[in-house]
Amino acid sequence: RKEVEQDPGPFNVPEGATVAFNCTYSNSASQSFFWYRQDCRKEPKLLMSVYSSGNEDGRFTAQLNRASQYISLLIRDSKLSDSATYLCVVNQGASGSARQLTFGSGTQLTVLP
Amino acid sequence: GAVVSQHPSWVICKSGTSVKIECRSLDFQATTMFWYRQFPKQSLMLMATSNEGSKATYEQGVEKDKFLINHASLTLSTLTVTSAHPEDSSFYICSANRQLNTEAFFGQGTRLTVV
């Protein structure tokens, strides 16, 4: 089993649609969780951190379920500029150790006009 | 603006030659930096952890003699791909954190093509 698994995608949605991505992780000791966005041939950039209570940033909502080891990202009113690959990222570093991020394979989103 | 700068952004080299990639933290000191490799349509795979002043820690399956890492200062880590082969062609990315358990900042990546 992969340490971080994501919906394979690709997701092709019309502008204005709502789309949800899911992610599961295998290490129950994982410390922190993120969604990164990666545009083609570019480096990943942080979209948002994921907190236990769930958090929202504009059209983006992230949720974490530690019991099920499950993370989600919801994008509402999708825009053409949202087209990218979304990476679920889990930090499995223990306190005092070097930070190590484990990346999901990414879910490709294309928002169509 | 960028907080981690990587150079060069792309490079083409001949088989058998060596290529050095630099990763700099611009406004913070990074005792640890990370090097990743990403093949087309695949996720980032951690290659090694670069530790300032000590030897790098390599992930399983990554040849330390082929991918030389030097972290001689708190703001610079270098990855040298030695005796490059076409199968080493990939997107190499470095990252660093300002503090523990905080956001990772990535360099712009280096697209290496070995011909």
Side-chain angles (χ1 to χ4, degrees), chain A residues 15-93:
Chain A
E15 261 187 300
T18 296
V19 61
F21 303 142
N22 303 317
C23 172
T24 58
Y25 60 95
S26 60
N27 186 346
S28 60
S30 297
Q31 301 267 316
S32 45
F33 311 88
F34 309 90
W35 283 101
Y36 275 75
R37 170 191 170 133
Q38 186 176 25
D39 292 290
C40 187
R41 294 176 175 265
K42 299 285 188 180
E43 77 276 19
K45 292 186 178 178
L46 179 67
L47 178 65
M48 58 196 305
S49 301
V50 186
Y51 303 120
S52 297
S53 55
N55 48 299
E56 187 174 306
D57 182 2
R59 298 181 292 110
F60 300 86
T61 301
Q63 292 194 316
L64 167 65
N65 184 322
R66 284 189 184 270
S68 302
Q69 295 177 203
Y70 172 94
I71 306 160
S72 66
L73 175 68
L74 183 77
I75 304 175
R76 291 182 300 278
D77 187 24
S78 53
K79 311 291 185 190
L80 296 176
S81 56
D82 293 334
S83 298
T85 297
Y86 291 82
L87 304 173
C88 175
V89 183
V90 175
N91 187 334
Q92 302 189 69

